[in-house]
């Protein structure tokens, strides 16, 4: 009977099933690609056959495979060496450090070759901290790379820093008008400073060299291997298609779908990837969405449990640190932000956004809408409900991406329809001190109201938004439990803390629901796929401050061990 015995048993530990009752078992048995038993240590050992591998947990924890529900996989891979410079914290601590890195790259580069990098954050640059009015400037880069075009994308991917040669090559000068939904920062003489925000960044990014499909495949393989070391077996790739600039960092090219599809078809994709298609660029229109969806034709996948084009992503506004999120109350230094869609007035932009959402809804897609400001979020939720009324669809599972300042009213309306919100607790940890200077302490404390969302009945998902932050779910869980800041350790919004069970749901079963896959993944239950994550210690009752020190000892994907420490 050895052919029916489990291939793998993990037992003698703390198996957090994340089932409906948040049951904790002692062991789990796997045969082939699925879970065949969950129960006591004695029950698991009784199932073992002569060929069964038994892993002695000795009290360690087993979780379902982690699902990072908003992770730009291809972009994260392409944003790392050897494809790009790392100009983020902690690799650099100042503008001078970044200039040194760029200067070294310029000396090694071919004449006139583009120099690209990712990750700079004014909240961690010495010169910007010393002078809050100081931002990186084209002249900082001109000094070290006068003859090479330089494009450095910030950590949020909503701001680009360019040198004079890059601006010259792209025809950006005092007379250049920013595209809808974009801002070109200018000095007192009206000249571009080198900082391009939101849709204006595309003016520069469109000129960047495009990686080959082979380079994209390699970047994805590199990322999946890294994710295995972190216990991550599923992720959502938010934005592949013609709406993205076909560049190194956008990671938004149709070529990325080809790279993923190639890997899935040849057995080289060892993660479950849900894809949001991006039919329209930031600053786009309903016509862009129609054209983009016609071009995409919902691409086919060799195995939808590995690769599935599940939805459509639309940009509604920008991000709060850049003052481009559309807010009800003004920022501390003035302005309300705006929508970043086509249209010359706010009223026309609202109408356009309603049309964009309705077009994607009527085409039968799940919608994930990037929206961060409270005013913009209310508009998006209105648009979801209007689209549903115009074309009723049961169980569409639309969701708000980021939802930084989502109101109680919008949370209640999302919950009523079974719609979701995808939040970023590790970004909260990263920027909470900075945000006090942008929106004041009260609004900063409220940002990402995770507890309010759970209490409203929304199936909250949590995600890294890598490469915005590292794809580290441990930091996300700790962030939801503690609400502390990275820079100072100060608590921000303690009333929005949640319990460990909810934090784990946000990285497992809730993202499985977002993927329309909760019937077959997302928890440790009989009949589900054997995607598992083994930690080096018991997780229940652990001090939340120790969660980030937890190591992943083993990752099981589709029944096979893909990582072992």
């Amino acid at each position: 009977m050895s052919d029916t015995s489990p291939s793998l048993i993990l037992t003698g530990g703390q198996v957090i099933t994340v089932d409906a009752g948040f049951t904790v078992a002692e062991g789990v048995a796997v045969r082939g690609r699925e879970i065949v038993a969950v129960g006591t240590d004695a029950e698991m050992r009784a199932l073992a056959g002569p060929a069964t591998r038994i892993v002695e947990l000795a009290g360690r924890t087993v979780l379902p495979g982690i699902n990072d529900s908003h992770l730009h996989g291809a972009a994260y891979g392409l944003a790392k060496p050897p494809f790009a410079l790392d100009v983020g914290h902690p690799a650099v601590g100042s503008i001078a450090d970044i200039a040194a890195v760029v200067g070294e790259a310029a000396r090694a580069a071919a004449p006139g070759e583009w120099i690209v990098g990712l990750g700079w954050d004014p909240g961690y640059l010495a010169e910007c901290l010393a002078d809050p009015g100081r931002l990186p400037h084209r002249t900082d880069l001109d000094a070290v790379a006068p003859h090479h075009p330089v494009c450095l994308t910030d950590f949020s991917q909503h701001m680009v820093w360019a040198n004079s040669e890059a601006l010259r090559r792209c025809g950006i000068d005092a007379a250049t008008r920013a595209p809808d939904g974009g801002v070109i920062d200018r000095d007192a003489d009206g000249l571009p400073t080198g900082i391009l925000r939101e849709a204006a960044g595309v003016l520069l990014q469109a000129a960047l060299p495009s990686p080959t499909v082979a380079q994209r495949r390699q970047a994805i393989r590199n990322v999946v291997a890294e994710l295995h070391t972190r216990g991550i077996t599923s992720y959502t790739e938010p934005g592949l298609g013609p709406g993205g600039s076909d560049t190194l960092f956008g990671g938004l090219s149709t070529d990325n779908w080809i790279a993923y599809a190639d890997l899935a078809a040849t057995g080289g994709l060892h993660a479950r990837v849900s894809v949001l298609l991006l039919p329209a660029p930031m600053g786009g229109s309903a016509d862009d969405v129609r054209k983009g969806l016609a071009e995409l034709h919902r691409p086919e996948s060799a195995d939808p449990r590995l690769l599935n084009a599940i939805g459509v992503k639309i940009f509604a506004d920008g991000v709060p640190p850049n003052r481009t999120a559309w807010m009800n109350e003004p920022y501390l230094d003035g302005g309300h932000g705006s929508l970043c869609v086509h249209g010359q007035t706010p009223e026309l932009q609202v109408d356009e956004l309603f049309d964009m959402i309705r077009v994607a809804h009527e085409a039968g897609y799940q919608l994930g809408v990037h929206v961060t400001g409270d005013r913009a979020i209310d508009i998006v939720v209105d648009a979801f409900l209007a689209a549903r009324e115009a074309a009723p669809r049961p169980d569409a599972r639309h969701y708000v991406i980021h939802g930084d300042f989502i109101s109680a009213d919008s949370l209640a309306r999302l919950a009523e329809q079974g719609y979701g919100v995808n939040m970023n607790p590790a970004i909260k940890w990263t920027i909470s001190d900075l945000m006090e200077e942008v929106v004041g302490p009260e609004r900063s404390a409220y940002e990402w109201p995770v507890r309010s969302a759970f209490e409203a009945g929304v199936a909250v998902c949590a995600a890294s938004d890598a490469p915005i932050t590292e794809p580290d779910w441990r930091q996300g869980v700790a962030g939801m439990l503690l609400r502390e800041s990275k820079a100072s350790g100060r608590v921000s919004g303690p009333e929005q803390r949640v319990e460990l069970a909810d934090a784990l749901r946000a990285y497992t079963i809730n993202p499985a629901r977002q993927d329309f896959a909760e019937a077959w993944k997302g928890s440790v239950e009989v009949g589900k796929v054997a995607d598992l994550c083994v930690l080096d210690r018991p997780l229940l009752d652990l001090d939340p401050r120790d969660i980030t020190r937890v190591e992943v000892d083993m990752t099981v994907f589709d029944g096979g061990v893909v990582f072992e420490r």
Side-chain angles (χ1 to χ4, degrees):
M1 296 292 289
S2 62
D3 60 321
T4 63
S5 55
S7 46
L8 176 67
I9 289 175
L10 311 173
T11 192
Q14 195 182 76
V15 180
I16 302 176
T17 64
V18 201
D19 63 5
F22 207 73
T23 309
V24 180
E26 292 176 329
V28 53
V30 172
R31 184 169 63 241
R33 301 165 75 172
E34 69 178 44
I35 295 166
V36 292
V38 181
T40 66
D41 183 50
E43 288 168 342
M44 295 306 102
R45 291 183 192 280
L47 297 173
T52 303
R53 178 183 176 187
I54 298 178
V55 174
E56 302 286 355
L57 293 170
R60 293 177 294 167
T61 288
V62 178
L63 293 172
I66 302 298
N67 187 338
D68 191 322
S69 52
H70 190 93
L71 186 160
H72 301 268
Y76 180 58
L78 291 166
K80 290 170 164 270
F83 302 107
L85 302 177
D86 179 0
V87 292
H89 177 82
V92 297
S94 64
I95 290 172
D97 287 350
I98 294 174
V101 170
V102 169
E104 188 178 338
R107 287 188 291 276
E113 184 180 351
W114 277 89
I115 293 167
V116 292
L118 180 77
W120 62 273
D121 180 350
Y124 293 95
L125 297 177
E127 298 89 344
C128 302
L129 292 170
D131 174 7
R134 166 84 153 104
L135 265 182
H137 197 277
R138 57 186 161 78
T139 53
D140 296 317
L141 302 175
D142 293 347
V144 293
H147 307 300
H148 291 82
V150 181
C151 173
L152 305 179
T153 303
D154 84 318
F155 80 101
S156 75
Q157 294 202 37
H158 287 258
M159 194 155 46
V160 167
W161 170 20
N163 70 344
S164 296
E165 176 62 12
L167 296 173
R168 185 190 68 75
R169 283 209 193 179
C170 297
I172 300 170
D173 57 25
T176 304
R177 180 181 165 277
D180 289 349
V183 178
I184 299 172
D185 284 16
R186 302 178 191 276
D187 63 19
D189 298 321
L191 295 172
T193 66
I195 297 295
L196 309 176
R197 301 171 192 262
E198 307 300 348
V202 176
L203 298 175
L204 198 81
Q205 290 171 324
L208 293 185
S210 182
T212 65
V213 170
Q215 286 176 314
R216 295 171 195 271
R217 281 196 301 265
Q218 188 55 53
I220 293 164
R221 279 194 294 262
N222 292 352
V223 166
V224 170
E226 178 188 332
L227 297 181
H228 288 161
T229 70
R230 299 175 182 270
I232 297 169
T233 55
S234 292
Y235 63 94
T236 294
E237 175 71 77
L240 303 185
S245 49
D246 185 17
T247 67
L248 202 56
F249 292 126
L252 306 169
S253 158
T254 311
D255 283 348
N256 282 336
W257 173 269
I258 296 169
Y260 273 111
D262 287 353
L263 290 170
T266 57
L269 183 61
H270 302 299
R272 306 190 191 283
V273 183
S274 297
V275 173
L276 295 184
L277 303 170
L278 190 72
M282 186 178 285
S285 66
D287 279 344
D288 291 330
V289 174
R290 283 188 196 91
K291 287 176 194 157
L293 290 179
E295 180 182 325
L296 287 163
H297 304 299
R298 198 185 282 261
E300 292 298 313
S301 164
D303 181 352
R305 284 196 174 191
L306 284 181
L307 180 64
N308 192 8
I310 203 167
V312 165
K313 180 180 179 182
I314 287 171
F315 288 98
D317 68 350
V319 292
N322 294 352
R323 283 82 166 167
T324 49
W326 199 23
M327 304 289 284
N328 284 311
E329 301 298 321
Y331 293 96
L332 292 190
D333 52 7
H336 290 262
S338 65
L339 293 179
C340 64
V341 299
H342 178 71
Q344 293 299 312
T345 67
E347 294 76 20
L348 289 173
Q349 289 181 314
V350 168
D351 289 346
E352 196 71 49
L353 181 60
F354 266 66
D355 281 349
M356 293 167 80
I357 286 172
R358 181 181 50 77
V359 167
H361 171 86
E362 289 178 353
Y365 289 97
Q366 178 189 45
L367 268 153
V369 180
H370 167 111
V371 59
T372 62
D374 51 2
R375 189 171 185 182
I377 295 166
D378 288 344
I379 294 292
V380 166
V381 176
D382 288 344
F384 282 166
L385 302 187
R388 181 181 179 277
E389 198 168 311
R393 264 177 61 202
D395 206 26
R397 302 194 190 181
H398 301 323
Y399 62 99
V400 164
I401 295 172
H402 307 312
D404 297 39
F405 294 102
I406 191 165
S407 66
D409 181 58
S410 280
L411 286 170
R413 291 190 297 156
L414 288 174
E416 188 181 339
Q417 301 302 330
Y419 295 167
V421 62
N422 193 299
M423 293 184 167
N424 309 103
I427 303 182
K428 169 70 179 173
W429 170 71
T430 305
I431 68 169
S432 65
D433 285 332
L434 164 71
M435 287 307 299
E436 291 199 5
E437 300 162 22
V438 177
V439 296
E442 187 179 334
R443 279 188 290 176
S444 176
Y446 179 77
E447 190 173 18
W448 282 301
V450 184
R451 182 168 182 168
S452 294
F454 271 110
E455 289 180 348
V458 176
V460 180
C461 296
S464 65
D465 201 9
I468 309 306
T469 66
E470 292 286 310
D472 185 352
W473 62 273
R474 303 167 309 162
Q475 185 59 64
V477 167
M480 284 189 275
L481 270 55
L482 295 168
R483 299 279 291 195
E484 291 178 350
S485 84
K486 176 180 180 180
S488 68
R490 281 189 299 157
V491 174
S492 176
E495 65 282 354
Q496 292 297 340
R497 289 170 172 157
V498 299
E499 298 297 317
L500 178 65
D502 279 340
L504 292 178
R505 287 187 182 101
Y507 279 102
T508 54
I509 194 64
N510 288 359
R513 183 187 178 278
Q514 179 182 291
D515 294 341
F516 294 87
E518 72 274 23
W520 57 268
K521 73 172 184 178
S523 59
V524 184
E525 296 183 81
V526 172
K528 291 199 171 184
V529 291
D531 297 351
L532 304 165
C533 166
V534 181
L535 307 181
D536 68 347
R537 67 194 80 180
L539 191 59
L540 298 177
D541 304 319
L542 189 65
D543 184 326
R545 285 177 180 77
D546 290 332
I547 288 174
T548 55
R549 291 192 270 276
V550 169
E551 296 283 357
V552 173
D553 276 351
M554 176 184 282
T555 303
V556 178
F557 173 73
D558 224 18
V561 176
V562 290
F563 169 75
E564 206 161 351
R565 194 161 70 100

